Tab-separated table of all heavy atoms in Angstrom:
chain	number	residue	atom	x	y	z
H	444	LEU	N	80.412	115.822	170.005
H	444	LEU	CA	80.264	116.416	168.680
H	444	LEU	C	79.351	117.628	168.783
H	444	LEU	O	78.263	117.535	169.341
H	444	LEU	CB	79.659	115.409	167.695
H	444	LEU	CG	80.310	114.030	167.600
H	444	LEU	CD1	79.490	113.122	166.706
H	444	LEU	CD2	81.731	114.159	167.085
H	445	VAL	N	79.793	118.747	168.240
H	445	VAL	CA	79.012	119.978	168.300
H	445	VAL	C	78.954	120.600	166.916
H	445	VAL	O	79.979	121.008	166.366
H	445	VAL	CB	79.598	120.982	169.308
H	445	VAL	CG1	78.754	122.258	169.329
H	445	VAL	CG2	79.658	120.372	170.699
H	446	GLU	N	77.748	120.688	166.376
H	446	GLU	CA	77.558	121.277	165.057
H	446	GLU	C	77.357	122.786	165.161
H	446	GLU	O	76.791	123.285	166.132
H	446	GLU	CB	76.340	120.664	164.354
H	446	GLU	CG	76.392	119.156	164.192
H	446	GLU	CD	75.686	118.411	165.305
H	446	GLU	OE1	75.599	118.951	166.430
H	446	GLU	OE2	75.209	117.285	165.052
H	447	SER	N	77.775	123.486	164.127
H	447	SER	CA	77.543	124.912	164.031
H	447	SER	C	77.468	125.306	162.563
H	447	SER	O	77.838	124.529	161.682
H	447	SER	CB	78.636	125.715	164.744
H	447	SER	OG	79.897	125.515	164.119
H	448	GLY	N	77.000	126.509	162.314
H	448	GLY	CA	76.967	127.036	160.962
H	448	GLY	C	75.600	127.054	160.313
H	448	GLY	O	75.442	127.613	159.221
H	449	GLY	N	74.625	126.460	160.950
H	449	GLY	CA	73.293	126.473	160.394
H	449	GLY	C	72.669	127.848	160.487
H	449	GLY	O	73.164	128.740	161.171
H	450	GLY	N	71.575	128.008	159.783
H	450	GLY	CA	70.890	129.278	159.795
H	450	GLY	C	69.895	129.375	158.671
H	450	GLY	O	69.531	128.379	158.046
H	451	LEU	N	69.473	130.584	158.415
H	451	LEU	CA	68.505	130.873	157.365
H	451	LEU	C	69.228	131.423	156.151
H	451	LEU	O	70.040	132.350	156.265
H	451	LEU	CB	67.472	131.876	157.868
H	451	LEU	CG	66.433	132.371	156.870
H	451	LEU	CD1	65.541	131.221	156.415
H	451	LEU	CD2	65.609	133.487	157.486
H	452	VAL	N	68.933	130.864	154.997
H	452	VAL	CA	69.570	131.305	153.769
H	452	VAL	C	68.558	131.261	152.632
H	452	VAL	O	67.640	130.444	152.632
H	452	VAL	CB	70.809	130.430	153.447
H	452	VAL	CG1	70.394	128.997	153.143
H	452	VAL	CG2	71.606	131.018	152.295
H	453	GLN	N	68.739	132.147	151.689
H	453	GLN	CA	67.871	132.185	150.516
H	453	GLN	C	68.230	131.062	149.557
H	453	GLN	O	69.384	130.630	149.478
H	453	GLN	CB	68.009	133.541	149.813
H	453	GLN	CG	67.012	133.784	148.690
H	453	GLN	CD	65.631	134.147	149.186
H	453	GLN	OE1	65.440	134.444	150.362
H	453	GLN	NE2	64.661	134.122	148.292
H	454	ALA	N	67.243	130.570	148.843
H	454	ALA	CA	67.493	129.549	147.834
H	454	ALA	C	68.578	130.010	146.872
H	454	ALA	O	68.590	131.163	146.438
H	454	ALA	CB	66.217	129.224	147.073
H	455	GLY	N	69.469	129.095	146.548
H	455	GLY	CA	70.601	129.418	145.703
H	455	GLY	C	71.841	129.832	146.462
H	455	GLY	O	72.927	129.898	145.873
H	456	GLY	N	71.694	130.082	147.735
H	456	GLY	CA	72.818	130.495	148.553
H	456	GLY	C	73.628	129.328	149.063
H	456	GLY	O	73.397	128.168	148.706
H	457	SER	N	74.582	129.641	149.923
H	457	SER	CA	75.502	128.640	150.452
H	457	SER	C	75.621	128.753	151.967
H	457	SER	O	75.435	129.822	152.541
H	457	SER	CB	76.894	128.804	149.837
H	457	SER	OG	76.868	128.626	148.435
H	458	LEU	N	75.926	127.640	152.576
H	458	LEU	CA	76.251	127.581	153.992
H	458	LEU	C	77.386	126.596	154.188
H	458	LEU	O	77.530	125.644	153.414
H	458	LEU	CB	75.056	127.134	154.839
H	458	LEU	CG	73.939	128.129	155.120
H	458	LEU	CD1	72.797	127.419	155.840
H	458	LEU	CD2	74.450	129.294	155.944
H	459	ARG	N	78.158	126.822	155.226
H	459	ARG	CA	79.206	125.892	155.595
H	459	ARG	C	78.976	125.458	157.033
H	459	ARG	O	79.019	126.281	157.955
H	459	ARG	CB	80.591	126.519	155.449
H	459	ARG	CG	81.741	125.530	155.659
H	459	ARG	CD	83.091	126.176	155.375
H	459	ARG	NE	84.192	125.236	155.506
H	459	ARG	CZ	84.630	124.459	154.535
H	459	ARG	NH1	84.071	124.512	153.329
H	459	ARG	NH2	85.654	123.629	154.744
H	460	LEU	N	78.720	124.189	157.217
H	460	LEU	CA	78.526	123.626	158.537
H	460	LEU	C	79.833	123.046	159.051
H	460	LEU	O	80.629	122.508	158.282
H	460	LEU	CB	77.466	122.523	158.508
H	460	LEU	CG	76.112	122.869	157.896
H	460	LEU	CD1	75.177	121.676	158.008
H	460	LEU	CD2	75.517	124.102	158.557
H	461	SER	N	80.030	123.155	160.348
H	461	SER	CA	81.211	122.589	160.969
H	461	SER	C	80.818	121.705	162.136
H	461	SER	O	79.909	122.028	162.892
H	461	SER	CB	82.152	123.691	161.466
H	461	SER	OG	82.724	124.402	160.393
H	462	CYS	N	81.504	120.603	162.262
H	462	CYS	CA	81.329	119.699	163.386
H	462	CYS	C	82.616	119.711	164.192
H	462	CYS	O	83.642	119.192	163.729
H	462	CYS	CB	81.001	118.289	162.897
H	462	CYS	SG	80.880	117.052	164.208
H	463	ALA	N	82.559	120.328	165.355
H	463	ALA	CA	83.705	120.351	166.249
H	463	ALA	C	83.696	119.099	167.105
H	463	ALA	O	82.667	118.723	167.674
H	463	ALA	CB	83.665	121.599	167.124
H	464	VAL	N	84.835	118.464	167.206
H	464	VAL	CA	84.951	117.189	167.897
H	464	VAL	C	85.894	117.347	169.080
H	464	VAL	O	86.974	117.918	168.953
H	464	VAL	CB	85.447	116.088	166.943
H	464	VAL	CG1	85.434	114.734	167.637
H	464	VAL	CG2	84.599	116.052	165.685
H	465	ALA	N	85.473	116.832	170.233
H	465	ALA	CA	86.241	117.000	171.460
H	465	ALA	C	87.455	116.079	171.540
H	465	ALA	O	88.333	116.290	172.372
H	465	ALA	CB	85.342	116.785	172.677
H	466	ILE	N	87.499	115.071	170.723
H	466	ILE	CA	88.664	114.217	170.589
H	466	ILE	C	89.127	114.295	169.145
H	466	ILE	O	88.478	114.938	168.313
H	466	ILE	CB	88.359	112.761	170.989
H	466	ILE	CG1	87.239	112.191	170.122
H	466	ILE	CG2	87.988	112.688	172.465
H	466	ILE	CD1	86.932	110.730	170.381
H	467	SER	N	90.228	113.648	168.838
H	467	SER	CA	90.712	113.688	167.465
H	467	SER	C	89.661	113.156	166.504
H	467	SER	O	89.052	112.115	166.743
H	467	SER	CB	91.992	112.870	167.330
H	467	SER	OG	92.384	112.769	165.975
H	468	ILE	N	89.447	113.875	165.414
H	468	ILE	CA	88.499	113.401	164.412
H	468	ILE	C	88.946	112.061	163.833
H	468	ILE	O	88.119	111.294	163.346
H	468	ILE	CB	88.294	114.426	163.277
H	468	ILE	CG1	89.625	114.769	162.594
H	468	ILE	CG2	87.600	115.672	163.809
H	468	ILE	CD1	89.476	115.704	161.411
H	469	GLN	N	90.215	111.778	163.917
H	469	GLN	CA	90.743	110.522	163.391
H	469	GLN	C	90.478	109.340	164.321
H	469	GLN	O	90.804	108.206	163.976
H	469	GLN	CB	92.237	110.645	163.103
H	469	GLN	CG	92.570	111.656	162.015
H	469	GLN	CD	92.034	111.250	160.656
H	469	GLN	OE1	90.834	111.442	160.371
H	469	GLN	NE2	92.878	110.687	159.811
H	470	PHE	N	89.901	109.622	165.486
H	470	PHE	CA	89.449	108.546	166.350
H	470	PHE	C	88.393	107.699	165.653
H	470	PHE	O	88.301	106.492	165.890
H	470	PHE	CB	88.888	109.134	167.654
H	470	PHE	CG	88.236	108.128	168.564
H	470	PHE	CD1	88.991	107.355	169.423
H	470	PHE	CD2	86.858	107.971	168.575
H	470	PHE	CE1	88.400	106.439	170.274
H	470	PHE	CE2	86.250	107.060	169.419
H	470	PHE	CZ	87.024	106.290	170.273
H	471	PHE	N	87.606	108.344	164.802
H	471	PHE	CA	86.496	107.676	164.138
H	471	PHE	C	86.918	107.091	162.803
H	471	PHE	O	87.647	107.716	162.034
H	471	PHE	CB	85.339	108.651	163.929
H	471	PHE	CG	84.791	109.207	165.204
H	471	PHE	CD1	85.099	110.491	165.608
H	471	PHE	CD2	83.972	108.435	166.008
H	471	PHE	CE1	84.601	110.999	166.789
H	471	PHE	CE2	83.464	108.933	167.191
H	471	PHE	CZ	83.779	110.215	167.585
H	472	ASP	N	86.440	105.897	162.533
H	472	ASP	CA	86.683	105.288	161.227
H	472	ASP	C	85.979	106.084	160.134
H	472	ASP	O	86.519	106.277	159.044
H	472	ASP	CB	86.200	103.839	161.218
H	472	ASP	CG	87.009	102.953	162.129
H	472	ASP	OD1	88.164	102.648	161.778
H	472	ASP	OD2	86.493	102.585	163.203
H	473	THR	N	84.760	106.523	160.437
H	473	THR	CA	83.978	107.295	159.497
H	473	THR	C	83.276	108.428	160.231
H	473	THR	O	82.732	108.231	161.320
H	473	THR	CB	82.925	106.419	158.792
H	473	THR	OG1	83.566	105.327	158.130
H	473	THR	CG2	82.139	107.233	157.766
H	474	MET	N	83.281	109.595	159.632
H	474	MET	CA	82.469	110.693	160.128
H	474	MET	C	81.531	111.121	159.019
H	474	MET	O	81.838	110.979	157.838
H	474	MET	CB	83.331	111.857	160.597
H	474	MET	CG	84.248	111.488	161.743
H	474	MET	SD	84.755	112.933	162.720
H	474	MET	CE	83.187	113.358	163.511
H	475	GLY	N	80.396	111.643	159.424
H	475	GLY	CA	79.430	112.005	158.412
H	475	GLY	C	78.472	113.079	158.852
H	475	GLY	O	78.371	113.427	160.034
H	476	TRP	N	77.792	113.609	157.870
H	476	TRP	CA	76.695	114.528	158.076
H	476	TRP	C	75.409	113.855	157.629
H	476	TRP	O	75.353	113.254	156.549
H	476	TRP	CB	76.901	115.830	157.299
H	476	TRP	CG	77.888	116.756	157.932
H	476	TRP	CD1	79.214	116.862	157.666
H	476	TRP	CD2	77.593	117.718	158.953
H	476	TRP	NE1	79.786	117.830	158.453
H	476	TRP	CE2	78.811	118.370	159.247
H	476	TRP	CE3	76.435	118.088	159.628
H	476	TRP	CZ2	78.894	119.381	160.209
H	476	TRP	CZ3	76.519	119.091	160.586
H	476	TRP	CH2	77.740	119.723	160.863
H	477	TYR	N	74.414	113.952	158.462
H	477	TYR	CA	73.082	113.445	158.180
H	477	TYR	C	72.092	114.582	158.326
H	477	TYR	O	72.393	115.603	158.931
H	477	TYR	CB	72.716	112.314	159.143
H	477	TYR	CG	73.545	111.060	158.984
H	477	TYR	CD1	74.879	111.029	159.371
H	477	TYR	CD2	72.982	109.901	158.455
H	477	TYR	CE1	75.639	109.880	159.233
H	477	TYR	CE2	73.735	108.749	158.320
H	477	TYR	CZ	75.055	108.748	158.712
H	477	TYR	OH	75.795	107.600	158.568
H	478	ARG	N	70.908	114.390	157.786
H	478	ARG	CA	69.883	115.403	157.966
H	478	ARG	C	68.523	114.756	158.140
H	478	ARG	O	68.270	113.660	157.658
H	478	ARG	CB	69.860	116.396	156.801
H	478	ARG	CG	69.370	115.828	155.477
H	478	ARG	CD	69.494	116.883	154.382
H	478	ARG	NE	68.939	116.433	153.118
H	478	ARG	CZ	68.994	117.132	151.997
H	478	ARG	NH1	69.589	118.328	151.979
H	478	ARG	NH2	68.462	116.648	150.882
H	479	GLN	N	67.670	115.468	158.826
H	479	GLN	CA	66.325	114.992	159.076
H	479	GLN	C	65.347	116.152	158.931
H	479	GLN	O	65.382	117.106	159.707
H	479	GLN	CB	66.210	114.374	160.469
H	479	GLN	CG	64.872	113.731	160.741
H	479	GLN	CD	64.887	112.904	162.017
H	479	GLN	OE1	65.720	113.116	162.898
H	479	GLN	NE2	63.979	111.951	162.115
H	480	ALA	N	64.504	116.057	157.930
H	480	ALA	CA	63.462	117.044	157.713
H	480	ALA	C	62.222	116.635	158.500
H	480	ALA	O	62.053	115.463	158.851
H	480	ALA	CB	63.139	117.158	156.227
H	481	PRO	N	61.341	117.581	158.787
H	481	PRO	CA	60.123	117.240	159.532
H	481	PRO	C	59.344	116.109	158.869
H	481	PRO	O	59.081	116.149	157.666
H	481	PRO	CB	59.333	118.544	159.516
H	481	PRO	CG	60.376	119.604	159.406
H	481	PRO	CD	61.431	119.017	158.509
H	482	GLY	N	58.994	115.110	159.651
H	482	GLY	CA	58.235	113.984	159.148
H	482	GLY	C	59.019	113.005	158.298
H	482	GLY	O	58.423	112.090	157.721
């Protein structure tokens, strides 16, 4: 799994993240996005 699309954006703006998968995405029962802020 390889994520891309992150970066710096101003409040109110938009970003689109993509997760490229080396096998079929349908291999997984569930796929998701998680996040972890400092602390």
